[in-house]
């Protein structure tokens, strides 16, 4: 049964992420959802990218940021009985003048088969895309 649900969910592709969006929003969302949650930026672009990561979490996370330094950004943990989700973002040297950034969503697991999981995944990709490109359509967040 779980396998069938996974196959059915994957067969729908990104449609799970785009309930009632305009064509422009859908086009943006397609690019953002295709963005990997692990990527590299150049060392010279890291300060701007890292500021975007901090700004996104401060403005768009329902959970309070509890750590923000030159390598890590983390929100508080979700409550055991809630459906909120938070973020962990890390950067590490990747060599050749590049830095690897990793975006993770943190949750309590309650919303795994719910719309919460779709929202968390969509927001993580929007965050990763924003960190990398500086482009954000905030109307698509947490819907």
């Amino acid at each position: 049964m779980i396998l069938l649900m996974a196959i059915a969910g994957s067969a729908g592709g990104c449609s799970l992420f785009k309930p009632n969006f305009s064509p422009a929003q859908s086009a943006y969302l397609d690019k953002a959802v295709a963005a990997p949650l692990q990527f590299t930026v150049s060392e010279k672009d890291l300060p701007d990218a890292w500021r975007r990561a901090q700004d996104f979490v401060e403005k768009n996370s329902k959970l309070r940021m509890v750590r923000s330094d030159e390598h890590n950004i983390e929100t508080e943990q979700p409550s055991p009985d809630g459906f909120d989700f938070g973020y962990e973002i890390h950067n590490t040297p990747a060599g050749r003048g590049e830095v690897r950034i990793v975006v993770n969503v943190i949750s309590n697991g309650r919303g795994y088969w719910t719309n919460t999981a779709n929202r968390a995944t969509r927001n993580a990709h929007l965050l990763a895309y924003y960190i990398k490109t500086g482009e954000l359509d905030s109307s698509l967040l947490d819907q």
Side-chain angles (χ1 to χ4, degrees), residues 3-77:
L3 179 60
L4 290 176
M5 291 174 72
I7 292 170
S10 66
C14 293
S15 63
L16 293 174
F17 295 113
K18 299 189 287 190
N20 294 307
F21 297 136
S22 72
Q25 288 173 313
S26 291
Y28 172 86
L29 193 54
D30 286 342
K31 289 189 296 186
V33 169
L37 299 179
Q38 295 185 37
F39 54 91
T40 59
V41 297
S42 70
E43 287 177 346
K44 74 174 187 62
D45 292 335
L46 180 62
D48 290 335
W50 205 241
R51 265 192 297 283
R52 288 192 292 268
Q54 291 168 324
D55 183 56
F56 182 100
V57 173
E58 286 174 353
K59 291 180 179 176
N60 300 301
S61 178
K62 292 180 180 178
L63 299 177
R64 178 177 60 84
M65 190 181 326
V66 294
R67 183 176 182 186
S68 179
D69 60 39
E70 61 195 31
H71 296 288
N72 302 286
I73 298 170
E74 298 174 12
T75 64
E76 62 190 350
Q77 296 291 314

